[in-house]
Amino acid sequence: MELKEILAISGQPGLYKYVAQSSRGVIVESLSDGKRMNAAANARVSALTEISMFTEGEDIALARVFTNIYEQTGGQRAISHKEAPEKIKAAFAEALPDYDRERVHVSDMKKCFAWYNILVEAGFTKFELPEEGEETQEEA
């Protein structure tokens, strides 16, 4: 399982693995409980490889943020997304020191930590973006 197969669905908690295309959308499987469902064609579905975080300079891919958290925690679970906002901000600042404090909200940080923890529990150890050549081959 690769990071490019992991999806976030707006309005749905957790993360999902892409299973197949259906006539009404996509079939996904929850990383938390393994249940399958159909994500409707009109649902906002985003691959984690397409999401990035605002920084003071260039935006940084979410995969890179996950890698920073992984290195910081030694591959263990990160801070819970249910902790106090001050603790979440401090932990996020350690993982991404130059994040844009105006545009990255506590809710974004909570989601980042929650997703990271789901991925670690699912066995992820590498958070890599697909190679440029790899995307081109799949599109052809």
Side-chain angles (χ1 to χ4, degrees):
M1 182 167 39
E2 295 182 34
L3 195 60
K4 67 183 178 183
E5 299 171 332
I6 306 303
L7 308 172
I9 302 171
S10 182
Q12 298 290 326
L15 293 174
Y16 299 86
K17 176 182 156 193
Y18 173 84
V19 176
Q21 187 73 36
S22 73
S23 60
R24 298 177 192 222
V26 292
I27 299 170
V28 295
E29 181 178 294
S30 171
L31 289 183
S32 302
D33 59 18
K35 291 183 181 176
R36 289 188 177 190
M37 67 176 226
N38 186 61
N42 63 351
R44 284 193 12 212
V45 178
S46 302
L48 291 190
T49 54
E50 298 171 355
I51 299 173
S52 60
M53 287 285 191
F54 296 118
T55 67
E56 296 298 333
E58 299 263 331
D59 292 352
I60 187 167
L62 187 59
R64 177 63 188 231
V65 177
F66 288 158
T67 300
N68 292 353
I69 296 171
Y70 188 85
E71 291 169 359
Q72 177 186 4
T73 63
Q76 302 300 311
R77 284 181 51 89
I79 186 173
S80 170
H81 65 284
K82 296 179 181 179
E83 288 286 344
E86 298 78 32
K87 287 184 177 182
I88 291 174
K89 285 180 183 179
F92 195 79
E94 286 180 35
L96 189 61
D98 64 337
Y99 78 93
D100 188 329
R101 278 139 178 90
E102 300 276 321
R103 299 191 294 174
V104 178
H105 304 283
V106 174
S107 61
D108 300 324
M109 296 175 203
K110 286 182 175 185
K111 197 176 289 187
C112 180
F113 286 125
W115 287 353
Y116 170 82
N117 287 335
I118 290 169
L119 290 170
V120 167
E121 287 173 12
F124 270 84
T125 57
K126 292 186 179 180
F127 306 97
E128 297 175 350
L129 294 171
E131 298 293 323
E132 290 293 326
E134 191 176 315
E135 284 183 23
T136 309
Q137 284 181 334
E138 289 178 6
E139 291 172 3

